[in-house]
Amino acid sequence: MNTVDALRGRLVVSCQAYPGEPMLDPRTMTQVAQAVVAGGAAGIRAKGLDDLRSMRPVIGVPLIGLVKVTGDNVFITPTLADCLAVAETGCDIVALDGTRRPRPDGLSLAATIAELKQAHPTVQVMADCGSADDAIAAQDAGADILGTTLAGYTGERPKTAGPDWELVDEVVALAEVPVFVEGRVHTPAQAAEAIHRGAWAVVVGTAITHPATITSWFAKAVAEVGG
């Protein structure tokens, strides 16, 4: 069974912390990844070369890797150099910006994917898309997986409160490769709905691995009642 087949109909958990947060530490995020695998996660999505290097030896499930680079609209593994660095950590899938926006190094998405696969033939590519047009272009460029990760973040579509189900349906209908639903999946019911609508896998991050946000949901609900 290959990497993508192992994720069919399953949950992938995104284990990411952000600058200034107490959990921004490779050891901490590796422990989080281990915990969610124990809970049933079939795959892990993580960012940062140090985190990926820390996780790879101890995570026995497919690992989706990326880096986030500030200072440009295209910030998820934006350049070929970034893609190669992520692949060299030993992750199974490299996630990258799969939109039609110009990339910082001037390469097309197709050229980026082709050169990455030439250097790392066993690595698969997940294109994080923001629209159906992105998904079509990413598929044509050679992406192995289409993700709805950037729905609501590129200006092409409104940011929905939960998953962008309209986009999910559009991408599932057009895709010839697996579709991973990612983005604002906040409940088990929404995760199940993604699979019901034809997603190959569903990626959940904030609602499982970001304590500050989860706590804020509860704190707000209590404050609204308690005054």
Side-chain angles (χ1 to χ4, degrees):
M1 181 181 294
N2 67 32
T3 299
V4 176
D5 285 344
L7 298 175
R8 187 167 193 172
R10 303 294 300 279
L11 171 68
V12 175
V13 175
S14 181
C15 301
Q16 301 184 37
Y18 297 91
E21 295 182 341
M23 292 175 63
L24 185 63
D25 179 88
R27 183 170 179 269
T28 299
M29 297 315 299
T30 298
Q31 291 172 326
V32 171
Q34 290 174 302
V36 300
V37 169
I44 298 295
R45 177 171 161 125
K47 74 170 179 66
L49 300 180
D50 290 340
D51 285 19
L52 295 169
R53 293 188 191 106
S54 176
M55 290 178 189
R56 180 68 288 174
V58 298
I59 297 298
V61 299
L63 181 60
I64 303 172
L66 62 134
V67 293
K68 290 186 176 178
V69 180
T70 58
D72 200 289
N73 286 332
V74 175
F75 65 92
I76 298 176
T77 326
T79 68
L80 174 61
D82 293 323
C83 292
L84 293 171
V86 170
E88 286 160 10
T89 67
C91 64
D92 306 283
I93 299 169
V94 173
L96 77 172
D97 184 294
T99 69
R100 291 159 292 137
R101 299 175 295 183
R103 308 180 73 80
D105 59 5
L107 292 177
S108 67
L109 180 59
T112 300
I113 292 174
E115 294 198 38
L116 171 60
K117 289 186 174 184
Q118 182 174 16
H120 296 275
T122 64
V123 167
Q124 294 178 301
V125 176
M126 177 176 176
D128 292 347
C129 301
S131 67
D133 287 340
D134 283 344
I136 292 168
Q139 182 169 264
D140 290 344
D144 303 293
I145 300 163
L146 302 176
T148 60
T149 317
L150 292 173
Y153 297 106
T154 64
E156 285 193 83
R157 297 186 62 81
K159 185 178 178 181
T160 52
D164 187 340
W165 295 123
E166 182 178 59
L167 178 62
V168 169
D169 291 343
E170 290 178 0
V171 176
V172 167
L174 66 85
E176 298 175 1
V177 298
V179 175
F180 286 18
V181 169
E182 180 175 13
R184 301 182 297 280
V185 182
H186 290 161
T187 68
Q190 290 173 339
E193 179 67 13
I195 302 300
H196 176 71
R197 287 174 179 256
W200 188 276
V202 58
V203 183
V204 180
T206 298
I208 296 176
T209 61
H210 199 251
T213 299
I214 299 166
T215 303
S216 74
W217 294 342
F218 283 87
K220 180 181 179 182
V222 171
E224 287 173 351
V225 176

